Amino acid sequence: MIHRYTRPRMGALWKDRAKYQAWLEVELAVAEAMAEAGLIPVEAVAEVKAKARFSVKRIEEIEAETKHDVIAFLTNIEENVGPASRFLHLGMTSSDVLDTANALLLRKAADILIEDADLLLAALKKRAFEHKDTVMIGRSHGVHAEPITFGLKLAVFHAEMGRNRDRLVRARENIAYGKISGAVGTFANIHPDIEAGACAKLGLKPAPISTQIIQRDRYAEYFTTLAVAAATLEKMAVEIRHLQRTEVLEAEEPFGEKQKGSSAMPHKRNPVGSENIAGLARVVRANALAALENVALWHERDISHSSVERIIAPDSTILLDYMLARMTGIIDRLVVYPERMKANLDRTGGLFFSQQVLLALTRKGLIRDQAYRLVQRNAMRVWREGLDFQSLLLQDKDIRKHLDEKEIQGIFDLNHHLKHVDVIFNRVFGANSGSEAT
């Protein structure tokens, strides 16, 4: 069972130390590329690598005076390295460091989120096969429609989360671009080959063209991808919340032995995890809007995007990491009540067979509207009077002109609605897929 609602690895990714370490990796990659091109001494780069150290506290002290984070960082590195530090940051601008380091951090965040998605997919697949044949009523507009199985409901979630995983992989690829092209992207003081070499060392691709920054459509795509994944989690959470309503109670979140649902009402068992996920999805969506607003900057760059990204990068990745882990725990231990599903299925006295009756009448030659009216008048009596749908049809002389008793009884076959469940499962999980998650 999975009980990992907190993910310290994602949180650690956005600590100041991790950020400055990424900055240092970028600076060293550029220096190494320059040394390989014969532009700076190889031994100087070796000395820088050996001595390069930073202190978060010291950087903060320097930044309090300089009001510039990258200068504060470089100054602290210089204090530790000495004269050889003059070979760092040659021909570069701050955004060369910031944006290339951001690519490293956002790529690592995507790796964690993809792992999270895999765990949720495994839990969904396991529970879907467990309940492949657990029959329940399907609902549209919140009203009983026709039968499905609970496994089909979970298979829908699995397919959608699979698409989210694919989107995360694409977002990871499209964010993994660096730029070492100088103040306005023209390589005025640094050669494009240095950018290519440094990016290769970092496992990134060089942006084909940049201004002072990596263009923020890449970020907008990344954070929108997180928002779409969050929306799927909210969709799952809302479904669980509805199924847990007292009047429905077909499934509910796991409830611990010592857990308490209300300070006032000891009987309460609330879907707090799903409610939590539904609320957090709003934040991730709002952050995606902020990322979209960052696309349009002044000319070759302004700084309005920077303050936004300092918030949304850690917040959205940490939140989605948490949401995926928490939903995995909920699905893994979700309590399902097949008996209640059966009872709810039977509440309308067989009304969900109405479409089959309609089709049977049209096959007998009735025009659709006429057939619809005959079926509907009996269906409405079932709604109003709580009668049995099949019994009413057998008593309706107008319907009996076209359908005999055996034909009517044959319509009320639950297997009619479930005959293609295996086909659907094969489409979602593959024809050779078993119940065990892969």
Side-chain angles (χ1 to χ4, degrees):
M1 293 189 295
I2 299 167
H3 305 281
R4 16 168 247 126
Y5 296 159
T6 57
R7 288 294 299 271
R9 183 158 61 122
M10 182 67 88
L13 189 62
W14 299 108
K15 299 288 187 181
D16 284 341
R17 174 158 295 280
K19 176 181 70 174
Y20 295 136
Q21 183 61 41
W23 290 9
L24 181 58
E25 289 175 19
V26 173
E27 291 283 3
L28 292 176
V30 173
E32 288 176 347
M34 285 186 166
E36 291 170 2
L39 300 175
I40 62 175
V42 173
E43 57 272 17
V45 176
E47 182 180 355
V48 169
K49 291 178 67 176
K51 295 181 177 179
R53 301 286 186 276
F54 62 83
S55 162
V56 173
K57 182 179 179 181
R58 178 58 181 148
I59 293 171
E60 290 173 348
E61 292 172 351
I62 299 170
E63 186 179 357
E65 297 176 352
T66 63
K67 312 300 181 186
H68 196 291
D69 53 356
V70 175
I71 290 176
F73 166 76
L74 291 170
T75 301
N76 182 222
I77 295 295
E78 180 181 340
E79 290 174 339
N80 292 307
V81 171
S85 64
R86 70 185 184 275
F87 296 111
L88 290 176
H89 208 71
L90 291 178
M92 296 169 64
T93 189
S94 295
S95 288
D96 289 334
V97 179
L98 297 175
D99 282 10
T100 305
N102 279 346
L104 296 175
L105 295 173
L106 289 171
R107 183 178 62 183
K108 289 179 181 178
D111 287 337
I112 295 172
L113 294 174
I114 291 167
E115 291 177 9
D116 290 341
D118 285 337
L119 290 171
L120 178 53
L121 285 166
L124 285 167
K125 179 178 179 180
K126 177 184 175 183
R127 299 308 301 272
F129 274 92
E130 179 184 344
H131 291 287
K132 181 165 72 88
D133 301 314
T134 302
V135 183
M136 65 183 297
I137 191 65
R139 297 171 173 91
S140 56
H141 305 275
V143 178
H144 283 209
E146 294 183 344
I148 61 171
T149 73
F150 190 59
L152 286 175
K153 191 181 290 288
L154 295 173
V156 168
F157 296 157
H158 185 282
E160 187 165 334
M161 186 50 62
R163 294 192 293 275
N164 281 314
R165 187 193 189 282
D166 292 341
R167 281 186 280 264
L168 285 168
V169 170
R170 291 195 296 271
R172 180 192 186 280
E173 178 182 348
N174 289 329
I175 204 67
Y177 281 79
K179 62 90 59 182
I180 311 292
S181 56
V184 290
T186 59
F187 298 98
N189 298 297
I190 196 166
H191 196 278
D193 289 347
I194 301 303
E195 177 189 70
C199 285
K201 293 178 183 298
L202 297 168
L204 303 174
K205 297 178 183 178
I209 184 171
S210 60
T211 57
Q212 192 174 96
I213 61 168
I214 293 286
Q215 301 309 289
R216 258 39 190 184
D217 65 294
R218 294 186 185 277
Y219 283 61
E221 179 181 5
Y222 187 95
F223 289 105
T224 301
T225 295
L226 304 193
V228 173
T232 295
L233 293 173
E234 181 182 19
K235 170 182 178 177
M236 295 168 60
V238 168
E239 181 67 27
I240 293 169
R241 290 165 64 190
H242 281 307
L243 294 178
Q244 190 164 334
R245 285 183 298 139
T246 307
E247 295 81 2
V248 179
L249 200 57
E250 295 177 351
E252 67 173 339
E253 291 184 5
F255 195 84
E257 183 180 347
K258 297 183 179 180
Q259 185 174 342
K260 293 178 172 61
S262 168
S263 63
M265 296 169 284
H267 71 277
K268 295 298 292 295
R269 295 162 66 98
N270 303 325
V272 292
S274 296
E275 290 172 334
N276 177 253
I277 289 169
L280 293 177
R282 302 166 191 169
V283 179
V284 181
R285 277 199 299 275
N287 286 351
L289 177 59
L292 289 165
E293 297 283 355
N294 280 348
V295 173
L297 303 176
W298 286 19
H299 304 297
E300 278 58 60
R301 181 235 184 175
D302 62 53
I303 202 172
S304 61
H305 66 290
S306 178
S307 55
V308 174
E309 290 163 3
R310 290 170 191 255
I311 297 171
I312 68 174
D315 277 11
S316 288
T317 54
I318 290 171
L319 282 177
L320 186 59
D321 176 49
Y322 170 83
M323 293 163 67
L324 284 163
R326 187 154 197 188
M327 181 56 76
T328 300
I330 291 172
I331 293 297
D332 188 56
R333 298 184 294 136
L334 189 70
V335 182
V336 181
Y337 299 109
E339 300 84 4
R340 184 65 177 229
M341 291 177 175
K342 178 64 167 60
N344 286 337
L345 187 75
D346 295 337
R347 285 185 65 180
T348 60
L351 275 183
F352 54 79
F353 290 108
S354 68
Q355 183 174 185
Q356 274 67 19
V357 182
L358 170 65
L359 294 173
L361 290 171
T362 58
R363 284 193 287 265
K364 292 290 186 176
L366 273 70
I367 62 172
R368 182 179 178 84
D369 185 65
Q370 181 183 4
Y372 194 103
R373 290 176 184 274
L374 290 177
V375 177
Q376 187 182 44
R377 77 185 185 192
N378 287 281
M380 293 305 101
R381 286 194 64 192
V382 174
W383 279 117
R384 291 191 300 265
E385 303 172 37
L387 302 174
D388 179 72
F389 188 44
Q390 182 179 157
S391 298
L392 287 181
L393 296 176
L394 290 170
Q395 298 167 20
D396 190 311
K397 295 179 180 180
D398 293 326
I399 288 180
R400 292 298 300 274
K401 292 177 183 178
H402 307 282
L403 297 173
D404 61 29
E405 180 177 353
K406 184 177 180 180
E407 288 173 320
I408 292 174
Q409 291 174 343
I411 288 170
F412 285 73
D413 179 7
L414 191 60
N415 291 325
H416 173 84
H417 292 275
L418 309 176
K419 58 181 178 291
H420 296 306
V421 170
D422 286 337
V423 173
I424 298 170
F425 263 64
N426 288 343
R427 286 181 171 185
V428 174
F429 300 106
N432 298 319
S433 179
S435 61
E436 292 300 319
T438 57

